[in-house]
């Protein structure tokens, strides 16, 4: 039995329940085989409603991404104009790094429908089911010294946060340095990796994972306590294409602003969207744990922490949490 034959039965009767008995007879397979195929389709982004009495009903089909259609919709002039689309990859970061080494131009976008080994900050895994999120990496070739790389991480968070707020109307904030949260739950991960030579950046790979249309069943036990999706938060499905187009436009505008005016405008925008400032925090650094109150960014992109004695120190890399 092929997925196509099973799907055709649902598409012939849109919005209607199809009984397990009817599917079993028409396709000449067992009900157990039908159930397994339904589960397989769900992993590919299809959504079904099951009724013990009525059978199954197709609720939604995956929002397939198409590189030609995306390119034609782009309002940005450079970023996202060259798109490399993949069905399944280990990680878009790996593919993008290979493309950058082979001379891919700035703005090249690598998108996958699914990642089998998606990575977040600190080497953590990232849930990347097929057809439900945005898993992409972009090639950047900024003309800045290597120590400016953290500024690009914060710029990426600002661009993504602004574009998602504009599209969804949801209350989304940035937790330092670049986690996007809705009511304390993470909806996006950002990971920038760079290659340098003679203290200059050869290229930067900006990886972005956005939990767009994931449902509660897509998360392993316990993860929903600290993660969510735009669909869960908004109550409806969103267009992944709309998000990518809007993000590329916002990113290019802020990147050009950064190139022209430096990091100062990005600091202002980041602080306006931050949910980390002014609240006691515990920062786990390579040198140990520091407790204090984040009061703003410094010009390098570090977070300034006010200690108990009133002194202020910059923290460049840490895992931020609430003090225990």
């Amino acid at each position: 039995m092929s997925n196509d034959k099973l799907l055709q039965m649902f598409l012939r009767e849109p919005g209607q329940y199809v009984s397990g008995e009817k599917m079993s007879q028409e396709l000449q397979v067992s009900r157990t085989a039908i159930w397994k195929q339904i589960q397989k389709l769900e992993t590919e982004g299809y959504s079904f409603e099951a009724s013990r009495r009525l059978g199954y009903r197709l609720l939604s089909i995956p929002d397939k991404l198409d590189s030609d259609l995306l390119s034609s919709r782009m309002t940005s002039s450079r970023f996202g104009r060259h798109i490399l689309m993949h069905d399944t990859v280990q990680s878009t970061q790996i593919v993008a790094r290979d493309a950058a080494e082979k001379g891919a131009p700035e703005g090249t976008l690598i998108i996958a429908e699914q990642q089998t080994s998606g990575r977040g900050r600190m080497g953590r895994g990232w849930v990347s089911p097929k057809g439900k999120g945005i898993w992409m990496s972009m090639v950047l070739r900024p003309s800045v010294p290597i120590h400016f790389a953290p500024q690009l991480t914060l710029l990426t968070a600002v661009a993504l946060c602004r574009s998602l707020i504009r599209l969804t109307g949801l209350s989304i904030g940035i937790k330092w340095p670049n986690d996007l949260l809705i009511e304390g739950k993470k909806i996006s991960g950002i990971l920038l990796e760079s290659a340098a030579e003679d203290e200059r950046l050869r290229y930067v790979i900006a990886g972005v994972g956005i939990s767009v249309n994931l449902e509660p069943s897509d998360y392993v036990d316990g993860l929903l306590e600290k993660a969510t999706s735009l669909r869960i938060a908004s109550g409806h499905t969103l267009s992944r294409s709309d998000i990518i187009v809007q993000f590329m436009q916002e990113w290019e505008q802020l990147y050009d602003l950064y190139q022209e005016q430096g990091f100062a405008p990005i600091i202002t925008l980041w602080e306006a969207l931050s949910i980390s400032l002014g609240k006691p925090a515990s920062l786990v650094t390579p040198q140990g744990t520091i407790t204090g109150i984040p009061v703003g960014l410094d010009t390098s992109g570090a977070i300034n922490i006010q200690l108990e004695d009133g002194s202020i120190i910059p923290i460049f890399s840490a895992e931020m949490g609430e003090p225990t």
Side-chain angles (χ1 to χ4, degrees):
M1 176 183 60
S2 71
N3 281 350
D4 288 343
K5 289 182 179 179
L6 181 60
L7 276 174
Q8 285 304 316
M9 293 192 69
F10 288 102
L11 295 174
R12 287 201 308 263
E13 303 180 55
Q16 303 300 311
Y17 282 98
V18 182
S19 71
E21 182 180 1
K22 181 177 180 179
M23 288 186 281
S24 179
Q25 290 177 351
E26 186 169 327
L27 299 173
Q28 297 185 325
V29 295
S30 68
R31 291 196 182 189
T32 299
I34 296 291
W35 176 71
K36 287 182 178 179
Q37 286 301 107
I38 293 286
Q39 284 193 313
K40 185 177 179 181
L41 285 168
E42 286 181 331
T43 66
E44 295 179 3
Y46 294 87
S47 177
F48 294 88
E49 184 175 70
S51 167
R52 191 181 295 273
R53 187 170 57 88
L54 301 173
Y56 296 93
R57 180 163 65 117
L58 179 61
L59 297 178
S60 65
I61 62 177
D63 170 28
K64 290 284 186 180
L65 294 172
D66 180 272
S67 58
D68 292 335
L69 182 60
L70 266 176
S71 294
S72 69
R73 292 188 57 200
M74 287 292 174
T75 55
S76 50
S77 61
R78 305 185 312 284
F79 292 94
R81 286 294 180 177
H82 179 48
I83 300 174
L84 303 175
M85 189 76 71
H86 298 267
D87 185 63
T88 302
V89 298
Q90 267 190 294
S91 166
T92 58
Q93 289 292 93
I94 297 172
V95 179
R97 191 162 57 242
D98 182 61
E101 289 288 351
K102 292 177 179 177
E106 182 170 67
T108 297
L109 194 58
I110 288 82
I111 304 174
E113 286 287 0
Q114 181 182 33
Q115 293 183 121
T116 56
S117 302
R119 291 180 294 119
R121 290 179 66 243
M122 309 293 184
R124 296 190 183 93
W126 183 262
V127 179
S128 314
K130 192 169 188 176
K132 294 189 175 184
I134 294 172
W135 326 120
M136 65 185 189
S137 296
M138 183 166 52
V139 177
L140 309 175
R141 297 189 182 278
S143 300
V144 296
I146 187 172
H147 60 271
F148 280 13
Q151 297 178 350
L152 294 169
T153 301
L154 298 162
L155 188 159
T156 305
V158 170
L160 183 57
C161 192
R162 282 166 60 91
S163 60
L164 290 179
I165 290 173
R166 184 176 294 116
L167 272 173
T168 68
L170 293 168
S171 179
I172 305 172
I174 305 173
K175 176 186 174 185
W176 185 81
N178 55 17
D179 286 345
L180 268 56
L181 307 183
I182 298 175
E183 296 182 353
K185 295 184 177 182
K186 188 171 178 176
I187 54 107
S188 174
I190 295 170
L191 176 65
L192 268 69
E193 298 176 306
S194 58
E197 189 174 291
D198 297 328
E199 295 301 310
R200 303 293 295 184
L201 290 168
R202 290 177 53 225
Y203 62 79
V204 175
I205 305 300
V208 176
I210 311 168
S211 299
V212 182
N213 292 320
L214 279 72
E215 300 170 81
S217 58
D218 292 310
Y219 294 91
V220 297
D221 290 346
L223 194 55
L224 276 173
E225 295 176 5
K226 53 186 177 181
T228 189
S229 72
L230 295 173
R231 176 175 177 168
I232 293 171
S234 66
H236 60 85
T237 301
L238 291 100
S239 165
R240 294 183 297 155
S241 297
D242 287 351
I243 292 172
I244 294 172
V245 170
Q246 184 74 241
F247 175 44
M248 287 296 98
Q249 179 186 27
E250 185 74 32
W251 210 99
E252 185 169 280
Q253 289 175 350
L254 291 185
Y255 187 70
D256 288 346
L257 178 67
Y258 172 72
Q259 300 275 49
E260 293 167 8
Q261 299 183 27
F263 191 49
I266 307 304
I267 290 177
T268 301
L269 293 171
W270 187 94
E271 290 181 347
L273 294 167
S274 173
I275 58 172
S276 300
L277 302 182
K279 302 174 183 176
S282 178
L283 295 96
V284 180
T285 76
Q287 291 75 37
T289 301
I290 295 171
T291 300
I293 298 176
V295 293
L297 297 178
D298 76 2
T299 55
S300 68
I303 189 85
N304 286 323
I305 302 296
Q306 185 175 43
L307 303 179
E308 191 174 338
D309 62 7
S311 62
I312 295 176
I313 61 170
I315 300 294
F316 293 90
S317 177
E319 186 74 0
M320 180 180 284
E322 295 181 5
T324 55

